[in-house]
Structures are given as C-alpha cells and as structure tokens.
Amino acid sequence: MIVEALIRGLPIILNDYIPGQEKGNVPYVVGNGAGVFTRSPKETAQIVEIVAGWFSTNSDELKKMSENSLKLAQPEAVFDIVRDIHDLAGQRGPLADVPYVLTSSFTNLI
C-alpha cells in the first residue's frame, strides 16, 4: 500500500514490516518525510495525536508530508516493469521464439 499512498500524495503510517523484503520501506518513507513509523502501542497512541494534529493545528506538516509523498511517487513504474519483462522474454527462455504479437498485449498501454 506504500506505492498507492505515494501516488495519491498521502502521508503513510507504518506500524510493522516483513523482515527482509520490506525492511527498507521504513527508512525510505520516514527518511524522506513521507510518513511515520511505530511498533509499540505507546508510540501508536502518540501517532494518533500527531495525525489528529494534521487535521487541526498542524496542517502544514500534513501538507509537507503529502508533497514529500508525491515527490517519491513513480506512477509509471508498472509500465517500465512490463517493458522490462517483455524485453527479457525476448532475450531468453521459451518466449524468445514466440512472435512479438503474442507477447505485446500491454503495448497499447505503454
């Protein structure tokens, strides 16, 4: 959901991550000012207060986090991935001999 929030310019509240594949998300989001992270219930209560402040006295912080989210967003990434997969399929493996017309179903989206 991080990518979706970034594309929409929404601040992110992270409360956990999957070790390994998601570990880098926390410093990326927090370090770029696009969200906050907490694991403990006590810190979560503090986050609730921060979020409440976004909608009352501290709307500047909400606006800044929203702007930071939009700076990190890469909405065209999915199309880059499709292009890369298509190129790789053409270079090796069983799809290397498949006619382009059969592997280019996403071309009209690119």
Side-chain angles (χ1 to χ4, degrees):
M1 298 306 280
I2 292 173
V3 171
E4 291 84 353
L6 294 175
I7 289 170
R8 297 298 302 159
L10 299 172
I12 301 167
I13 301 170
L14 299 172
N15 66 343
D16 208 351
Y17 60 88
I18 297 172
Q21 73 182 48
E22 293 183 350
K23 185 176 182 179
N25 292 345
V26 174
Y28 183 74
V29 169
V30 175
N32 285 292
V36 293
F37 172 75
T38 179
R39 271 191 153 163
S40 76
K42 183 178 179 180
E43 288 177 349
T44 301
Q46 292 171 341
I47 297 296
V48 169
E49 291 177 26
I50 290 170
V51 172
W54 290 348
F55 298 99
S56 58
T57 59
N58 208 356
S59 61
D60 289 342
E61 183 178 1
L62 176 62
K63 182 179 178 187
K64 185 63 177 168
M65 290 181 107
S66 179
E67 290 169 354
N68 290 339
S69 289
L70 288 170
K71 287 178 189 174
L72 296 176
Q74 298 180 16
E76 298 296 318
V78 69
F79 298 111
D80 295 339
I81 292 167
V82 169
R83 278 189 211 97
D84 290 346
I85 290 171
H86 180 270
D87 291 345
L88 286 172
Q91 294 173 14
R92 56 187 148 136
L95 294 178
D97 297 325
V98 175
Y100 176 79
V101 69
L102 298 178
T103 62
S104 62
S105 60
F106 292 108
T107 304
N108 60 342
L109 299 174
I110 299 175

